[in-house]
Amino acid sequence: MKKLEVEEKLSKIAKNIKSSIIRELLKYSTQPGMISFGGGVPDPETFPRHELAEIASKIVEEEYRITLQYSTTEGDPVLREEYLKLLERKYNINNLDLENIVITTGSQQALDLIGKIFLDEESICAVSSPVYLGAASAFSIRSPMFINVPLESDGMNVEFLEKQLRNLDEKGLINKFKFTYVVSNFHNPAGVTLSLEKRKKLLELAWKYNFYIIEDDPYGALRYEGEHIPNIFKLGDIEHVILLNTFSKTLCPGLRIGTVIGDKNVVRKFVMAKQSADLCSPALTQRLAARYLQKYDIFEKLSRTLELYRSKLTTMLKAFEEFLGGIEGTDWTRPQGGLFTWVKLPENVDTMDMLKIAMAEKVLYIPGEVFHIDEKGKNYMRVSFCLPSHEEIIEGVKRLTKVVKEYQKKSR
Ligand SMILES: *Cc1c(COP(=O)(O)O)cnc(C)c1O
């Protein structure tokens, strides 16, 4: 009998799926003595567990007909209603109704559905370079052509994008161009924020060339300093901008609740595509989030979290200055929010290759090349400051500095 080989049976899409290096790496983060700057996950101490526990018990007992039942594909109407109120209160985003919102199983599902809805092999889309890994993998499996737009300290290089679009237009390919994906605030992995000027410029391009802007904004509410910049969605119009959000970074990722806000026709497509993915997101966690939003002011609750992350970020930037700054050719972003800094090392450093030394020195980061479709970023690394303690941050940066020096000595 011939052996059944998985590889022989796989679909084109399955062949395109790569395992996440981040998930592989994070297995090492639990080794004793390891200081990990790798995880992009919130500090569990910030989860409002007592509040959620109380609500959870109540909604299972009293609302079991809803919470333990199938939900609608669009999502719990109570949650959608509450979320729209929150958008109005916090971001002055109004004039939306329930048909403009669909709840997804985390933002990750929204990204996956975007791939399904918009991308064929001959499609073209634009992403930043570096790019959020979750988006890159959700889009990549559809095998579109990517325009990799360089990321700068004030967000993606919009002029670069404009040139590429003009080029596509001249070649008669502009109708193949579907969307530009942007993480507008405190980019993952780079920590940078798209400036107001660039937001407006990007919108002008979207109007001129008629494409969608996918604005992914998980970190907008995690601002530690500086002025809030209005969302692209707020500056633009619902016809051209699709706004993704999630409770993962502001409440807790275990809920697996993301939101998609867009034009009714777009939302309808999301709902249809979601039907075949999971029928509906969990009714239990949706109602849990809804009742939480009704009972508490999520932003007031968040203020302690912001305080915690702000101080950790300060500690990290100081430690960079003190230790890493001594190595010529190093630089890093100074984010005003979010969970990440993006560290540039001298050109001759390959952060993937350097990992083995880092492991031996018991410090962990995510190599920059992971966040690239265009095979760049080899001398960069993503460093998260939200999980380790202040002491661990300082010690971890000391170790990182030692690792880089050791690597340079070896490769000389
Ligand atoms: C964390 C994060 C998300 C959230 O993903 P979930 O599936 O909602 O947990 C989405 N986009 C970016 C850029 C992120 O960093």
Side-chain angles (χ1 to χ4, degrees):
M1 213 165 34
K2 192 175 168 289
K3 193 171 179 306
L4 176 52
E5 296 288 351
V6 186
E7 292 299 322
E8 286 174 19
K9 300 291 183 188
L10 291 182
S11 68
K12 277 193 231 163
I13 283 185
K15 283 179 187 153
N16 273 333
I17 301 176
K18 294 190 202 84
S19 88
S20 160
I21 306 174
I22 294 192
R23 304 236 155 250
E24 294 299 312
L25 274 178
L26 290 182
K27 284 180 196 155
Y28 295 99
S29 65
T30 51
Q31 281 185 0
M34 183 69 81
I35 296 178
S36 175
F37 297 135
V41 302
D43 187 335
E45 295 309 315
T46 67
F47 303 153
R49 60 184 188 277
H50 304 301
E51 291 87 338
L52 289 173
E54 192 190 330
I55 298 170
S57 146
K58 210 166 137 94
I59 61 171
V60 170
E61 291 280 3
E62 294 170 16
E63 297 189 74
Y64 67 94
R65 285 174 188 278
I66 288 163
T67 55
L68 302 183
Q69 185 57 281
Y70 283 111
S71 172
T72 60
T73 308
E74 293 83 346
D76 183 349
V78 183
L79 176 62
R80 282 186 290 152
E81 188 83 50
E82 285 306 315
Y83 188 69
L84 292 182
K85 279 194 221 159
L86 184 149
L87 279 181
E88 185 159 356
R89 187 161 60 87
K90 175 85 175 169
Y91 301 110
N92 211 6
I93 291 173
N94 35 35
N95 297 324
L96 297 174
D97 61 47
L98 289 187
E99 290 176 29
N100 295 117
I101 175 171
V102 49
I103 305 288
T104 52
T105 305
S107 276
Q108 190 55 43
Q109 183 178 48
L111 294 169
D112 189 59
L113 297 180
I114 286 168
K116 235 184 190 176
I117 294 170
F118 294 118
L119 298 177
D120 298 306
E121 280 180 26
E122 62 278 10
S123 304
I124 308 167
C125 63
V127 298
S128 62
S129 166
V131 59
Y132 172 52
L133 184 66
S137 47
F139 305 158
S140 291
I141 58 169
R142 321 290 309 183
S143 304
M145 202 192 103
F146 285 101
I147 296 176
N148 297 292
V149 187
L151 199 62
E152 303 172 324
S153 59
D154 58 350
M156 66 164 56
N157 183 338
V158 181
E159 269 166 30
F160 178 96
L161 176 63
E162 183 172 21
K163 260 185 227 149
Q164 303 294 316
L165 292 172
R166 207 181 306 136
N167 214 336
L168 288 180
D169 198 21
E170 280 163 14
K171 287 187 191 147
L173 291 171
I174 198 70
N175 62 333
K176 303 270 186 223
F177 187 76
K178 304 297 181 79
F179 61 77
T180 299
Y181 168 77
V182 253
V183 177
S184 45
N185 298 303
F186 322 122
H187 190 275
N188 179 1
V192 300
T193 293
L194 191 69
S195 67
L196 180 63
E197 201 187 351
K198 284 189 171 178
R199 289 178 196 217
K200 289 179 180 166
K201 182 75 194 167
L202 190 59
L203 275 166
E204 277 168 29
L205 291 180
W207 288 324
K208 179 169 174 187
Y209 292 108
N210 247 333
F211 58 84
Y212 289 108
I213 297 172
I214 313 281
E215 182 179 25
D216 187 6
D217 189 22
Y219 304 109
L222 296 183
R223 177 177 275 284
Y224 316 136
E225 59 169 304
E227 285 284 308
H228 170 72
I229 304 175
N231 279 99
I232 305 171
F233 184 86
K234 169 73 186 167
L235 296 167
D237 64 324
I238 197 160
E239 204 182 305
H240 290 85
V241 191
I242 300 169
L243 176 64
L244 307 190
N245 222 318
T246 173
F247 285 104
S248 289
K249 314 292 158 55
T250 49
L251 198 51
C252 47
L255 294 171
R256 305 310 299 130
I257 298 177
T259 55
V260 178
I261 307 272
D263 175 78
K264 287 178 187 172
N265 294 319
V266 167
V267 166
R268 207 170 298 138
K269 273 293 163 197
F270 270 89
V271 173
M272 289 194 244
K274 183 176 161 65
Q275 238 147 31
S276 69
D278 63 359
L279 294 179
C280 61
S281 293
L284 184 57
T285 61
Q286 291 188 69
R287 189 50 64 92
L288 181 56
R291 296 286 178 233
Y292 180 85
L293 292 179
Q294 285 175 331
K295 194 160 177 200
Y296 301 99
D297 180 338
I298 186 172
F299 298 112
E300 209 179 288
K301 283 276 186 195
L302 206 55
S303 64
R304 271 187 45 224
T305 305
L306 297 191
E307 201 52 57
L308 177 74
Y309 291 162
R310 179 188 295 125
S311 69
K312 286 186 180 185
L313 172 61
T314 307
T315 299
M316 174 143 283
L317 292 178
K318 256 191 212 151
F320 279 167
E321 204 73 55
E322 193 174 341
F323 304 108
L324 208 55
I327 302 173
E328 202 178 326
T330 54
D331 199 4
W332 50 88
T333 54
R334 292 158 184 82
Q336 295 189 315
L339 306 180
F340 308 106
T341 58
W342 183 238
V343 176
K344 179 178 188 257
L345 296 173
E347 302 280 347
N348 62 353
V349 175
D350 179 335
T351 49
M352 187 66 87
D353 193 31
M354 191 175 75
L355 260 184
K356 49 185 189 293
I357 304 181
M359 298 278 198
E361 292 293 337
K362 299 239 172 255
V363 62
L364 206 57
Y365 56 82
I366 308 290
E369 69 169 75
V370 168
F371 305 98
H372 286 79
I373 296 170
D374 50 6
E375 297 184 355
K376 291 187 175 143
K378 287 198 190 306
N379 58 322
Y380 286 79
M381 57 184 167
R382 190 187 78 177
V383 178
S384 174
F385 51 85
C386 65
L387 219 41
S389 68
H390 289 271
E391 294 71 32
E392 286 171 330
I393 290 173
I394 296 167
E395 174 59 25
V397 173
K398 277 187 198 167
R399 288 182 196 176
L400 265 186
T401 310
K402 187 173 168 207
V403 167
V404 177
K405 284 181 179 163
E406 226 170 282
Y407 181 85
Q408 283 187 309
K409 212 181 288 168
K410 272 192 189 145
S411 54
R412 202 169 285 143

